[in-house]
């Protein structure tokens, strides 16, 4: 089952429709505005103020009194059995473990699953299997990776630390937001030698705690990537994603111009496996493995009716959701090797055949109070395309007026 609503984005809403902890996007500055700063004003009698490119300085946030240390739950030292809750229904096994025990490393999760030490209803499970409410999960004794010494970093580790600093859009004692470049994987896998998760090893603190991923981006997608520096922050930020109080805005360059220029895409998505690859396909309601996915889109600017700069706001967070949804409405993202399905279509001269998708903006409640609002600049290949096509990167983004659900 799939449907594409043709409703405008400026749907009237009441204040009670918004999440309690999140503020309207239009009242925030990009590049690190935090609740408590003075919001940008709209121009008198004209268009709303344009979104400026993010500034590199790190803004301060309004912080509440620190929580007590007991907010960080210890890892289990013996076998235990837990029951999957309603909030955890349809969650992947690896993400279930990350949400329950933010202190676990990705490699540790993969190891206990691979060895069959984790059981679901008494049976072995794969890290990508989906859990169902009421299932019983046997969890073996867990441990944090051994703390590393506090001696000087090696030359390679020093370079890695500098690379992370160069990517940093926002950082404080609890939270780190990176501007992940296109081509850098978030986690390890077959054929991947360098990834963000392994790079974070150089940031272990004196207690051995390593910053941990809160969400993920596809390897070729650039932009805002959220990292928790403490277990307390990981629990709070993961909860914000689960409750959908975290809001994400993406920019993409797509083939053709979507009509209407603002709308809502609602489908069910399911993974289709093959020997060489796997993709997300449009599925029917009730189909095994299918999950509901909702995306709002808005055309920001066009180029000769052949290309469109589109702003995207995913309500749900399914794998490849934006890429699959834009292909579904016949406006696939330029440079997408998996979902670009337009026949006899030539890439305009000068544009690189790389995925034109940017995780542009992230707005999320800070674990200790206030709001983090961070924007990432266009990556080099997209900036080149914007310049060649004459697109204005500081143009007002109409997706700000999209509903939250």
């Amino acid at each position: 089952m799939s449907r594409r609503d043709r409703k405008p984005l400026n749907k009237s809403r009441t204040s009670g429709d918004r999440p309690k902890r999140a503020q309207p996007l239009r009242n925030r500055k990009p590049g690190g505005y935090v609740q408590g700063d003075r919001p940008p004003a709209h121009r008198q009698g004209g268009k709303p103020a344009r979104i400026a490119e993010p500034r590199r300085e790190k803004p301060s946030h309004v912080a509440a009194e620190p929580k007590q240390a007991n907010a960080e739950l210890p890892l289990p030292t013996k076998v235990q059995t837990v029951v999957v809750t309603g909030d955890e229904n349809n969650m992947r096994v690896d993400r279930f473990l990350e949400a329950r025990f933010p202190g676990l490393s990705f490699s540790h999760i993969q190891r206990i699953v691979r060895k069959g030490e984790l059981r679901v209803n008494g049976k072995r499970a794969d890290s990508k299997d989906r859990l169902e409410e009421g299932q019983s999960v046997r969890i073996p004794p867990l441990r944090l990776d051994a703390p590393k010494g506090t001696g000087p970093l090696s030359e390679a580790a020093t370079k890695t630390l500098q690379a992370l600093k160069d990517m940093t859009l926002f950082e404080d004692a609890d939270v780190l937001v990176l501007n992940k470049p296109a081509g850098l994987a978030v986690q390890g896998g077959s054929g991947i030698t360098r990834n963000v998760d392994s790079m974070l090893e150089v940031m272990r603190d004196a207690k051995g705690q390593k910053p941990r991923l809160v969400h993920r981006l596809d390897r070729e997608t650039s932009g805002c990537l959220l990292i928790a520096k403490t277990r307390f922050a990981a629990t709070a930020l993961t909860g914000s994603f689960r409750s959908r109080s975290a809001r994400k805005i993406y920019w993409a360059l797509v083939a053709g111009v979507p009509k209407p220029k603002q709308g809502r895409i609602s489908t069910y998505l399911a993974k289709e496996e093959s020997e060489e690859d796997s993709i997300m396909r449009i599925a029917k309601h009730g189909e095994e493995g299918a999950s509901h996915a909702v995306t709002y889109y808005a055309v920001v600017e066009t180029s000769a009716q052949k290309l469109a700069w589109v702003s995207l706001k995913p309500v749900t967070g399914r794998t490849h959701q934006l890429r699959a949804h834009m292909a579904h409405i016949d406006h696939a993202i330029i440079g997408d090797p998996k979902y670009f399905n337009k026949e006899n279509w030539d890439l305009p001269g000068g544009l690189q055949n790389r995925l034109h998708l940017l995780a542009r903006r992230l707005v999320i409640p800070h674990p200790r109070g206030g709001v983090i609002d961070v924007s990432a600049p266009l990556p080099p290949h997209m900036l080149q395309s914007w310049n060649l096509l004459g697109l204005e990167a500081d143009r007002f983004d109409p997706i700000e007026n999209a509903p939250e659900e």
Side-chain angles (χ1 to χ4, degrees), residues 172-189:
D172 63 13
D174 293 290
V175 182
L176 173 66
V177 183
L178 298 178
N179 178 21
K180 187 192 81 65
L184 177 62
V186 172
Q187 291 179 308

Side-chain angles (χ1 to χ4, degrees), residues 180-183 217-223 250-254 312 320-324 326-327 331-340 347 351-359 378-383 385-386:
K180 187 192 81 65
L217 296 176
D218 295 339
R219 184 173 184 172
E220 294 303 322
T221 301
S222 63
Y250 290 75
W251 283 0
L253 188 66
V254 303
L312 302 164
H320 296 176
Q321 175 177 319
L322 302 180
R323 298 164 64 182
M326 294 313 294
H331 295 286
I333 298 174
I334 299 300
D336 191 333
K338 287 180 179 283
Y339 298 93
F340 196 92
L347 190 70
L351 272 64
Q352 297 183 46
N353 190 22
R354 300 183 63 185
L355 182 66
H356 282 59
L357 180 61
L358 166 70
L378 290 167
H381 71 284
M382 289 181 67
L383 181 59
S385 299
W386 259 238

Side-chain angles (χ1 to χ4, degrees), residues 177-311:
V177 183
L178 298 178
N179 178 21
K180 187 192 81 65
L184 177 62
V186 172
Q187 291 179 308
S190 178
I192 296 176
T193 57
R194 187 169 182 263
N195 59 81
V196 175
D197 190 49
S198 64
M199 292 173 71
L200 293 173
E201 289 286 348
V202 301
M203 293 184 65
R204 284 189 182 274
D205 61 20
K207 296 181 180 179
Q209 286 196 74
K210 168 191 164 186
R212 45 195 68 77
L213 302 166
V214 177
H215 71 127
R216 293 158 186 78
L217 296 176
D218 295 339
R219 184 173 184 172
E220 294 303 322
T221 301
S222 63
C224 298
L225 180 68
L226 186 64
I227 311 290
K229 295 175 68 176
T230 63
R231 277 186 281 169
F232 161 68
T235 301
L237 295 172
T238 300
S240 292
F241 271 89
R242 189 181 302 153
S243 65
R244 297 181 184 173
S245 56
R247 283 172 285 170
K248 297 169 288 183
I249 291 177
Y250 290 75
W251 283 0
L253 188 66
V254 303
V257 180
K259 294 181 181 180
K261 289 190 173 182
Q262 297 179 355
R264 178 178 183 266
I265 307 169
S266 175
T267 71
Y268 285 82
L269 295 175
K271 181 175 290 188
E272 186 172 276
E273 301 279 1
S274 67
E275 292 183 2
E276 298 180 353
D277 205 354
S278 64
I279 63 169
M280 301 301 291
R281 61 174 177 80
I282 304 302
K284 296 181 180 180
H285 178 39
E287 186 175 333
E288 183 179 359
S291 300
H292 190 214
V294 177
T295 301
Y296 285 95
Y297 74 87
V299 175
V300 184
E301 199 171 0
T302 63
S303 177
Q305 298 301 305
K306 185 171 184 178
L307 298 165
W309 162 17
V310 176
S311 188

Side-chain angles (χ1 to χ4, degrees), residues 141-159:
L142 304 174
R143 62 172 176 78
L144 287 171
D145 288 345
K148 294 190 175 181
T150 56
L153 294 174
S154 65
E155 182 179 351
T158 300
K159 289 182 179 180

